[in-house]
Structure formats: C-alpha cells, structure tokens
Amino acid sequence: MQSLYVEGNSVMHRLSPRLKLVSLAALSVVLFITDNLAPLSIAVLLTAVLYGMVGLPFADALRRLRPIFLTIAVVALFNLIFNPWHEALVPLLRLTALMLFAATVTATTSITAFIDEVTALARPLERTGWVQADDIGLALGLVLRFVPEIVTRYQAIREAHRARGLKVRPTSLLAPLIILTLKDADNIAAAIDARGIRRHGS
C-alpha cells in the first residue's frame, strides 16, 4: 500500500504530531474568523511555503493536491456566480490555505505516529463508555492509508478502460472501484481479526 508520508527532515517533520494536529485545528478556526483578503492571502503564501519544504518533487506535490483543488475551484466558481468577486475569493483562500497545511501535516506525519496521537487524544472519551480510543485511531489511520490506494486504483481502472477502447464514464468506473475497495476492506478486516487487534469488546 502507498502512504502519503514523505521521508524528510524539514521543520514540520521535526515537530511533534500533537502540535501539528492542534495547529491544524487552530488554523481552521482562525481562517474562518476573518474575511480580510490580506491575512488570508498571507496564510495561503505561508502554507504554500511549508508545503514546498516537505521535499516532494514539484510535479508530485501538485498531483497530490489536484483532486482537492478542483473541488475548491468548483466551490469558488459557484460563489463567483452568486456573489461579488471579493466574496468569492474569501472561501477560495480559506480552503486553499487549509488544504496546503493539511497536506503538509499528512506528508510529514507517519501513519503510526498519527494513529498513536489520535488514540492518545481520544483516550479521555473512553470514560463515556461509547467509544474505544484504539478503534478511533485505527479507523482514521486506515482512512489515511486507503486514500492514495483508492486514487491509484481509480486511475488504473480508467487506463484499463482506455486501453480496451471503452468510453470512460464515471458510472462505469465506480462499480469496479467500489467492488475492489470493498474486497480490500474485507481483507484488512480479516487481517485485523486474525491478529486479535479488536478483542477488547468480546
């Protein structure tokens, strides 16, 4: 399986996972406090610099962001249709800054460190009796692990359609993608059960 983590020794690599996650949460709040374009533009610039220090080749760095940025662009376009340009620019800058910083955190935090940190942060919730911290950490870790795998599989299915001369349509790609993803999910669940990772509830 692929991982979004990138080996390196940048400033973000050296920060603790907890500090990075708390910073991401704080940034997501701060960005929505102001509508001023100047600080939002500075936030985009700073997060772009941090993302550029991760150590990815320029083309790979852009390829990782492309699906999310296309979504942000669609949101901005709809805003531009119904609002003045400066009001449409605000969510574009907010979401772009968040996307860049989240991508930086993901690229500089290993899956293991991420799971350990989320599990530790969720541990107090176990007192409610509703959740298990280990399950939350494992679930989020698997989501992060599966995202690049699903994107790669989607691209492989699309190329297979083109190689066979079939017309590429989202509807014809989704069915095999969902089936293969569910098979992988079954295999992962079987592996987890075989190793006895989730036996706290039995």
Side-chain angles (χ1 to χ4, degrees), residues 124-139:
L125 297 177
E126 287 188 333
R127 295 174 187 169
T128 65
W130 295 346
V131 297
Q132 291 290 335
D134 292 334
D135 290 353
I136 294 175
L138 180 63

Side-chain angles (χ1 to χ4, degrees), residues 6-120:
V6 179
E7 293 282 352
N9 193 32
S10 69
V11 174
M12 289 296 289
H13 280 91
R14 294 194 293 272
L15 291 180
S16 74
R18 180 167 301 189
L19 180 58
K20 285 185 276 189
L21 290 175
V22 170
S23 300
L24 178 60
L27 180 66
S28 65
V29 173
V30 170
L31 286 175
F32 282 83
I33 291 176
T34 179
D35 290 337
N36 193 314
L37 294 181
L40 291 175
S41 300
I42 293 172
V44 171
L45 184 62
L46 291 177
T47 51
V49 170
L50 286 176
Y51 186 60
M53 294 167 61
V54 163
L56 277 171
F58 185 70
D60 289 343
L62 287 183
R63 187 164 46 248
R64 281 186 172 208
L65 299 178
R66 188 168 53 192
I68 306 173
F69 190 73
L70 287 176
T71 305
I72 294 174
V74 170
V75 172
L77 183 60
F78 274 100
N79 269 284
L80 187 60
I81 293 173
F82 298 106
N83 298 298
W85 68 269
H86 57 279
E87 289 187 21
L89 202 53
V90 169
L92 176 66
L93 294 173
R94 282 175 178 159
L95 295 175
T96 302
L98 268 181
M99 171 191 70
L100 289 168
F101 194 66
T104 304
V105 171
T106 307
T108 57
T109 309
S110 68
I111 296 291
T112 303
F114 187 83
I115 291 176
D116 289 345
E117 202 56 51
V118 171
T119 301

